[in-house]
Amino acid sequence: MNAQSAPALAIDGLRVEYPLANGSVFTAVENASLVIQPGEIHALVGESGAGKTTIGNTVMGLLEKPGRVAAGSIHIDGKKFDAVKGSATGIVLGRDVGAIFQDPMTSLNPLFAVESQLTEAMRFHLKLDKGDARSRALELLESVGIPEPKRRLKAYPHQLSGGQRQRVVIAAALSCNPKLVVADEPTTALDVSVQAQILKLLRDLADSRGIGILLVTHNMGVVAQIADHVTIMHRGKVVETGSTQEVLRHPKAAYARALIGAVPRIDQRLDRFPVLGDEGKGRAESARAELRAKAGRSEANADETPILSIENLCVDYTTSGWLPGSTGHRFRAVDDVSFSLRSGEVFGLVGESGCGKTTIANVVSGLVRPSAGRVLYRGQSIAGEGATRRVGPLRQAIQMIFQDPYSSLNSRMRIGSILSEPILFYRLATSRAEAETDVTRLIEAVGLDADASQRFPHAFSGGQRQRLSIARALGARPKLIVCDEPTSSLDVSVQAQILNLLKDLRDATGLTLLLISHDLAVVRQMCDRVAVMRQGQLLEQADSETLFDKPQHPYTQELLSLVPTLDRIRGETQAA
Amino acid sequence: MFKVLLSRLGQAALVMLVVSAVSFVMFRYVGDPVATMSRENASVEEKAELRRSLGLDQPLVVQYGRFLTRTLSGDLGISYRNQRPVTELIAERLPATLELVIVATILSLALGIPLGVLCALKPDGVAARLVQALSLVGISTPTFVTGIVLILVFAVSLGWLPSFGRGQVVDLGWWSTGFLTISGLKSFILPGITLALYQLTLIMRLVRAEMIDVLSSDYIRFAKARGLPTRYIHFRLALRNALMPVITVTGLQIGSLIAFAIVTETVFQWPGMGLLFIQAVSFVDIPVMAAYLLFVGLLFVLINTVVDILYAVVDPRLRARSA
């Protein structure tokens, strides 16, 4: 590193405020300071609402009105940056500051080819002509590791995979040789193996080009893997800052300790996730006991038949061709998969996006029809060969929890109506009044206050909404709940609470859970048995302890080795 | 893909069959054609003879079959009033209506898109608020009121523009156009504005809503973060995304413009198909009414079918799968 040159980014005493409608002022960031030297990766960590993205946006000149910088200074490459106007003498956004956004699916414009989106910044900032910009774009694509760059230049974003798109975004951020790159959750939307590649690319860019990188993330594993320094934020304030090794190994602030503790571990199984603060148990526990009493004895516990078995399941997606008789494209999403769930266990299904795990969830819940094979619920076929129409009790027995708690609750219905819907639909209560007591019990069982039933979903945070989704699934008194990525859109600490809740409910009501996730650490903490999928095929299934300690299939081994964890902290690898 | 195409065409044919049935029923039951066509003191035998020669004594199904065959071969009957083939009448009036609709569409796009963009970019500006308020007036005033007010102001009081007709037209083969003479062009202005007004406000509001949506999208934020000039971001990047639904709506609106040009054509005595229809109604000229019904039905079915098929072609999920 070059000690003489000015820091890539120096923030001193930054305060960002949002004036509210009622005249008061919300302080999103207070007295934040950090310094990034060229070639250094500085991670900014915290939960949603911690102010980390606000800092990123301020540096990129994207602070949305009515937000304003109230105090403090920002220097980029030694030059003062006016965050209010988004300008500085000698600093041009896009030329000296590059940006990488979270979701590569949405940060590229779907109507323009890669070439146009890559070259426009160079043509405006470096005044290159079309030909020069094009040859430079080719170099950039090559340097970020995109195969066949010539062909990719002409491609539209939808023709590229998520990882390739993120590489294009990185190439665009690098196009004008920036001093500083702000990367806002650059790998959150990506699979583990792609994440590993992108992280390596960022690290290489910092090392070889001497770019300072401000990495905004909530993933501690990512921080451990590539950051040199880390700053932890909580409610707009910097809680702790220092070298990655120091902060992650010996956190001083209580919040930093709690946050790091909440990260699910992949190396060993814990009884419960450590959570921040009080879980508010008392009322919830008695509500769960009542739920259990109402649901009656889980009659199948003694029974040896698996609660759910999937036999030689295949699912094809086809598009019809132009001519009659031609089949068009056929895509086999699930290929000859068999496994079964014992009553009362938590079964995990892991794999990267596109491996077919969600398709299986959809088949189990009756949203997709299998092309071959069948699904049995307690020995009775519910999908595929010999399936009968799913009626009352069968439908009721299998419920789902979806990934996105923001779109899976109807925003125009009160919580009370949302939760009483399954109860009334399956006639589980004899009167409306009884249904209402049931709703109250459900809300308390998931750890919320009973008055929630009067409110609409928008009044709740993501974690609270996911609790409500769980309550809705429980309302039908199911035997099996299919959870499709139940925590992947939540913060670590909230994730820990939700997973604890699922565990408690499983213990209290004898539920069986089919947990679908790409997060291996979560799966290890939650599941009794695990199956690994790739490209529609089931590669390996085993008890989770066995699978994580002695993975048999090379793909499983590779997946496990790619997960960024707190055990592999940058700078320690040589020492270990 | 072929299946989609086939089912869409099948649906279109079915709709046209129903429309033709309605139009046939009109022929048969709105007044008695024999009573209309025969002399006043014709004997019962003469009427029966006429009935037989017209084929009206045949069972209903046979008559409908004949009607279909004739219609398909392009014979829509003879106008009672003008005593000329209806196909000829329609062909004569079609250019006037189409030209008016073209002018109205261009006008509404040329004004609606920039105004929509203006409202989206400066939602609190004076101009945007004024345009928003006026657009409410535009969308809620009936066409005939707008037309009459325009005539009153620009034709009667100021005397700048003609109040009715197409002005001088030039014949190019069977197509007569008003685009080539000064008086023809002048005549387009008032009816063009009248017809365009509703569509203009619609397009403006659509562009505004889409543009606001697009401006808050990630790819526009990404473009800003790359420091691209604001003008370039707004007019080259964002506008293209915002225009996608506008294309669809404009396509569908052209159909209703043609069908609903009736009011405008009546107010401005524009010698188009709408006027032809209104005159046919007042003279109970059933063949013309029936043909107009068929024509408008065909137009809507055609446009909707094309749009449906285009959707299937453009659907990004289908594109993604074949990529």
Side-chain angles (χ1 to χ4, degrees):
Chain A
M1 271 167 244
N2 193 343
Q4 280 87 39
S5 66
L9 174 70
I11 298 178
D12 189 37
L14 182 70
R15 186 160 90 191
V16 181
E17 294 177 344
Y18 287 88
L20 299 178
N22 60 15
S24 63
V25 171
F26 171 72
T27 309
V29 175
E30 201 174 354
N31 196 22
S33 306
L34 60 89
V35 175
I36 304 178
Q37 299 298 338
E40 190 178 81
I41 297 183
H42 194 116
L44 202 53
V45 197
E47 298 180 42
S48 20
K52 55 189 197 305
T53 296
T54 306
I55 293 186
N57 284 345
T58 309
V59 173
M60 288 188 283
L62 291 180
L63 192 60
E64 305 252 329
K65 276 176 193 165
R68 58 165 190 244
V69 176
S73 68
I74 300 173
H75 285 85
I76 293 169
D77 193 29
K79 291 162 199 137
K80 189 163 166 47
F81 174 71
D82 185 346
V84 184
K85 287 197 204 123
S87 65
T89 27
I91 289 288
V92 178
L93 282 174
R95 190 186 73 191
D96 303 296
V97 182
I100 301 168
F101 283 8
Q102 171 169 358
D103 190 352
M105 299 292 172
T106 58
S107 49
L108 292 174
N109 192 323
L111 299 184
F112 292 86
V114 167
E115 174 171 356
S116 142
Q117 306 199 42
L118 257 182
T119 55
E120 54 196 3
M122 293 188 270
R123 285 192 294 145
F124 282 113
H125 297 318
L126 306 180
K127 310 282 178 228
L128 295 183
D129 64 31
K130 255 195 154 151
D132 289 347
R134 184 203 197 101
S135 52
R136 197 165 143 64
L138 275 176
E139 277 169 39
L140 281 167
L141 285 184
E142 227 155 89
S143 69
V144 295
I146 286 192
E148 297 182 77
K150 266 214 171 95
R151 200 160 68 84
R152 299 294 178 206
L153 269 188
K154 295 202 169 43
Y156 284 86
H158 74 264
Q159 293 165 325
L160 305 176
S161 70
Q164 284 173 336
R165 283 186 221 194
Q166 196 63 307
R167 284 169 197 267
V168 171
V169 169
I170 293 175
L174 295 177
S175 61
C176 303
N177 288 323
K179 308 287 187 308
L180 173 73
V181 167
V182 178
D184 190 351
E185 304 273 8
T187 59
T188 307
L190 303 173
D191 276 327
V192 210
S193 59
V194 184
Q195 165 171 290
Q197 294 161 14
I198 297 289
L199 290 179
K200 186 170 176 304
L201 175 63
L202 287 177
R203 187 68 249 178
D204 290 348
L205 291 172
D207 292 342
S208 64
R209 298 186 179 215
I211 300 170
I213 297 180
L214 177 65
L215 177 73
V216 176
T217 183
H218 70 272
N219 188 331
M220 285 293 183
V222 168
V223 174
Q225 194 174 333
I226 66 165
D228 302 295
H229 284 85
V230 57
T231 295
I232 295 180
M233 293 192 68
H234 183 48
R235 298 200 181 138
K237 295 196 182 86
V238 172
V239 181
E240 184 150 354
T241 184
S243 80
T244 305
Q245 200 175 338
E246 204 179 283
V247 172
L248 293 194
R249 282 285 174 245
H250 313 288
K252 289 181 200 75
Y255 176 78
R257 272 202 299 278
L259 188 66
I260 292 164
V263 177
R265 304 185 63 125
I266 199 167
D267 54 332
Q268 70 183 75
R269 186 168 174 151
L270 303 171
D271 233 15
R272 292 181 70 77
F273 292 91
V275 268
L276 300 168
D278 178 35
E279 277 187 274
K281 276 192 146 180
R283 188 69 201 92
E285 250 163 38
S286 61
R288 281 172 206 155
E290 285 168 39
L291 266 189
R292 170 170 204 154
K294 264 214 121 168
R297 215 136 287 287
S298 200
E299 72 276 11
N301 268 350
D303 198 345
E304 277 303 299
T305 12
I307 184 163
L308 184 81
S309 44
I310 288 172
E311 296 177 354
N312 308 100
L313 185 73
C314 296
V315 179
D316 292 330
Y317 289 120
T318 48
T319 56
S320 56
W322 267 96
L323 295 170
S326 76
T327 44
H329 298 273
R330 202 180 68 151
F331 170 68
R332 178 148 278 199
V334 176
D335 190 5
D336 197 18
V337 168
S338 306
F339 62 86
S340 57
L341 271 66
R342 295 179 207 127
S343 196
E345 77 174 341
V346 181
F347 190 91
L349 204 53
V350 277
E352 301 187 87
S353 47
C355 75
K357 55 191 196 300
T358 294
T359 304
I360 291 184
N362 288 339
V363 170
V364 171
S365 46
L367 300 173
V368 168
R369 278 171 205 278
S371 320
R374 57 183 186 161
V375 178
L376 301 172
Y377 173 76
R378 295 225 164 108
Q380 186 184 350
S381 176
I382 54 167
E385 292 150 32
T388 46
R389 231 175 76 88
R390 259 185 224 214
V391 280
L394 264 181
R395 257 185 202 290
Q396 183 195 336
I398 303 177
Q399 294 293 318
M400 269 196 104
I401 298 169
F402 294 95
Q403 171 172 3
D404 184 1
Y406 288 90
S407 59
S408 59
L409 295 175
N410 187 336
S411 57
R412 296 211 189 340
M413 279 168 80
R414 283 179 202 278
I415 298 302
S417 332
I418 293 176
L419 295 186
S420 60
E421 204 172 48
I423 299 174
L424 297 171
F425 179 77
Y426 292 117
R427 298 201 178 82
L428 297 175
T430 47
S431 65
R432 226 158 236 287
E434 195 191 332
E436 265 164 43
T437 25
D438 280 357
V439 166
T440 312
R441 199 173 289 133
L442 284 170
I443 293 174
E444 284 172 348
V446 295
L448 295 175
D449 285 329
D451 64 357
S453 71
Q454 292 308 311
R455 293 193 269 166
F456 287 97
H458 67 77
F460 297 91
S461 69
Q464 289 173 325
R465 286 186 210 210
Q466 200 60 306
R467 283 171 189 265
L468 292 167
S469 304
I470 294 172
R472 177 177 58 183
L474 287 175
R477 290 186 209 152
K479 301 285 180 278
L480 169 70
I481 298 187
V482 180
C483 314
D484 190 358
E485 304 271 10
T487 58
S488 59
S489 57
L490 304 174
D491 275 327
V492 212
S493 62
V494 182
Q495 161 172 295
Q497 291 167 13
I498 295 291
L499 293 176
N500 277 345
L501 172 65
L502 281 173
K503 271 190 170 182
D504 290 344
L505 290 170
R506 198 270 302 246
D507 296 342
T509 57
L511 277 170
T512 311
L513 298 180
L514 175 59
L515 180 78
I516 287 159
S517 182
H518 69 276
D519 188 331
L520 293 158
V522 165
V523 168
R524 164 141 219 189
Q525 295 304 317
M526 289 294 292
C527 299
D528 303 311
R529 286 191 304 140
V530 182
V532 181
M533 289 188 70
R534 186 183 58 177
Q535 290 168 10
Q537 285 171 332
L538 195 77
L539 299 180
E540 181 173 7
Q541 61 170 314
D543 286 347
S544 53
E545 294 304 295
T546 325
L547 187 111
F548 281 93
D549 290 335
K550 296 185 201 65
Q552 299 300 312
H553 198 281
Y555 177 71
T556 314
Q557 292 163 359
E558 189 196 329
L559 266 190
L560 287 175
S561 73
L562 289 173
V563 179
T565 64
L566 299 187
D567 315 310
R568 291 192 286 266
I569 293 183
R570 180 176 151 73
E572 282 190 348
T573 31
Q574 292 89 343
Chain B
M1 198 57 233
F2 188 78
K3 261 192 216 157
V4 177
L5 200 70
L6 215 61
S7 81
R8 287 284 178 268
L9 289 178
Q11 283 168 11
L14 203 70
V15 171
M16 278 321 291
L17 209 64
V18 173
V19 172
S20 70
V22 173
S23 140
F24 164 72
V25 167
M26 212 157 93
F27 245 126
R28 183 69 185 79
Y29 293 103
V30 181
D32 183 2
V34 174
T36 332
M37 291 172 82
S38 53
R39 289 177 295 122
E40 252 174 57
N41 52 358
S43 65
V44 177
E45 288 77 29
E46 274 177 320
K47 284 187 178 175
E49 177 56 34
L50 184 59
R51 201 173 289 278
R52 198 165 39 250
S53 72
L54 287 174
L56 294 176
D57 55 341
Q58 301 285 329
L60 202 62
V61 185
V62 177
Q63 286 188 45
Y64 180 50
R66 282 189 185 163
F67 171 78
L68 272 187
T69 338
R70 269 196 295 128
T71 307
L72 284 177
S73 63
D75 176 10
L76 291 168
I78 289 171
S79 160
Y80 295 163
R81 195 169 81 92
N82 305 46
Q83 293 299 321
R84 289 170 58 199
V86 174
T87 1
E88 215 176 284
L89 280 176
I90 289 188
E92 206 176 277
R93 299 297 191 96
L94 191 63
T97 298
L98 283 187
E99 286 190 348
L100 182 60
V101 166
I102 291 169
V103 168
T105 307
I106 292 175
L107 212 60
S108 58
L109 288 175
L111 289 175
I113 295 175
L115 287 179
V117 173
L118 175 82
C119 289
L121 293 184
K122 293 214 166 64
D124 296 326
V126 182
R129 289 198 177 171
L130 202 68
V131 169
Q132 285 274 75
L134 281 179
S135 82
L136 266 183
V137 177
I139 219 158
S140 52
T141 318
T143 319
F144 64 89
V145 174
T146 335
I148 289 169
V149 169
L150 284 177
I151 290 178
L152 200 64
V153 175
F154 293 98
V156 180
S157 301
L158 297 171
W160 290 349
L161 298 164
S163 64
F164 70 91
R166 292 182 78 191
Q168 244 178 322
V169 292
V170 177
D171 287 328
L172 305 168
W174 61 276
W175 185 278
S176 69
T177 177
F179 285 130
L180 298 176
T181 60
I182 305 263
S183 76
L185 286 175
K186 266 182 156 179
S187 311
F188 274 122
I189 299 177
L190 292 184
I193 291 176
T194 309
L195 189 58
L197 206 60
Y198 180 80
Q199 213 198 355
L200 189 151
T201 41
L202 189 77
I203 287 179
M204 192 209 93
R205 291 182 157 250
L206 190 68
V207 168
R208 177 180 166 272
E210 284 297 320
M211 192 78 178
I212 287 176
D213 239 30
V214 170
L215 283 179
S216 65
S217 70
D218 262 7
Y219 48 82
I220 295 303
R221 290 185 60 232
F222 186 54
K224 284 185 193 162
R226 278 180 289 157
L228 302 176
T230 318
R231 227 164 221 291
Y232 179 85
I233 292 179
H234 289 161
F235 292 99
R236 181 159 157 75
L237 302 182
L239 189 57
R240 198 195 274 202
N241 291 282
L243 284 185
M244 295 301 276
V246 176
I247 293 167
T248 322
V249 169
T250 310
L252 289 174
Q253 280 286 313
I254 286 177
S256 40
L257 276 187
I258 294 176
F260 301 128
I262 294 178
V263 178
T264 310
E265 290 187 0
T266 312
V267 171
F268 288 94
Q269 289 295 299
W270 190 264
M273 293 195 354
L275 199 60
L276 180 73
F277 175 72
I278 289 291
Q279 284 162 353
V281 170
S282 50
F283 284 94
V284 202
D285 197 344
I286 292 168
V288 175
M289 285 155 68
Y292 186 76
L293 180 69
L294 270 178
F295 177 76
V296 170
L298 181 70
L299 201 73
F300 267 83
V301 166
L302 267 184
I303 291 174
N304 276 301
T305 308
V306 168
V307 168
D308 273 358
I309 291 171
L310 273 184
Y311 270 148
V313 173
V314 183
D315 191 330
R317 281 168 300 175
L318 290 177
R319 262 194 293 169
R321 264 182 232 168
S322 54

